[in-house]
Amino acid sequence: MAFKTGVSERDEWSYSPAVGVGPLRFGMTVDEVVEAAEVLGLTKASECARDHAIFSPTWKVEVHRRGVAPSPLAVTAYGSQVVGLFCIAVDAVQGPQVAYDGLPLVGRDLSELESDAIAYAEAMDVHLRYTPEGYAGPDDSGVVMRGQLVGRVLRSRPLFMVTRDGAHTEWDSMPSEEYRVNGQSTA
């Protein structure tokens, strides 16, 4: 089964549920994330605004591709003081390509991804799931599909996650910076 990605050549990272994506492993400290992310580009670490008192303070590491300044954002990694790295967001345009069991997830036209996800689910006799915004993706508790507006097309921007401290699900764990509907922030 062949899938069209609609994106140019990009790095390919592997995804292992509950383990990590590419060189990033869930549970890493901010320093470990910065060191591991240097394979892709330049990093900038900062603290996130504390929106929910139930969670320990959160930090994010923005990874920009090497190249002409200003370099585009490729990956955003989120961690907490208690559990370390818990969320890896991959940019639809600049991020590495990450597949789920051969199904490319990054930078896809969301309607094409939905068609391919349905075909995959039927061929493999597995389920797919929809986010509250209506984005289709693998039925894996570690993958949350998000949309990123690129020109006039809404493209896939997956979040790879584990549950963070004080949360019951990945939906509860999602960093407030990642709440987006149709590419626009709702936070």
Side-chain angles (χ1 to χ4, degrees):
M1 179 179 300
F3 299 106
K4 301 175 291 185
T5 63
V7 295
S8 61
E9 287 289 315
R10 58 172 77 204
D11 299 335
E12 290 187 19
W13 284 9
S14 62
Y15 164 63
S16 297
V19 176
V21 177
L24 304 177
R25 298 290 173 251
F26 296 119
M28 288 178 143
T29 66
V30 68
D31 292 334
E32 291 170 331
V33 169
V34 167
E35 184 178 328
E38 287 178 350
V39 299
L40 185 60
L42 308 171
T43 59
K44 176 186 171 195
S46 61
E47 280 195 41
C48 296
R50 192 164 182 185
D51 291 337
H52 305 289
I54 192 169
F55 299 135
S56 65
T58 303
W59 45 263
K60 73 177 173 181
V61 176
E62 295 176 327
V63 184
H64 295 263
R65 288 199 168 278
R66 294 189 200 292
V68 183
S71 58
L73 181 63
V75 173
T76 305
Y78 297 91
S80 77
Q81 290 180 349
V82 173
V83 298
L85 179 63
F86 68 88
C87 178
I88 302 159
V90 181
D91 184 80
V93 177
Q94 299 299 324
Q97 183 53 258
V98 183
Y100 179 87
D101 196 23
L103 178 65
L105 298 179
V106 181
R108 305 282 309 276
D109 176 302
L110 283 168
S111 63
E112 289 177 7
L113 176 57
E114 179 181 34
S115 295
D116 288 347
I118 291 169
Y120 169 82
E122 289 173 350
M124 304 301 284
D125 195 27
V126 296
H127 299 283
L128 70 128
R129 71 173 170 173
Y130 287 87
T131 65
E133 295 88 7
Y135 308 143
D139 187 26
D140 182 317
S141 61
V143 180
V144 176
M145 293 308 300
R146 308 302 290 163
Q148 178 180 331
L149 196 57
V150 178
R152 301 180 87 184
V153 178
L154 198 55
R155 298 225 175 251
S156 57
R157 182 176 188 271
L159 306 182
F160 300 93
M161 304 177 65
V162 294
T163 306
R164 67 176 296 177
D165 55 298
H168 299 290
T169 68
E170 74 274 4
W171 298 102
D172 300 331
S173 300
M174 192 180 315
S176 59
E177 288 88 347
E178 294 298 330
Y179 284 102
R180 300 179 190 281
V181 176
N182 295 331
Q184 304 298 314
S185 176
T186 59

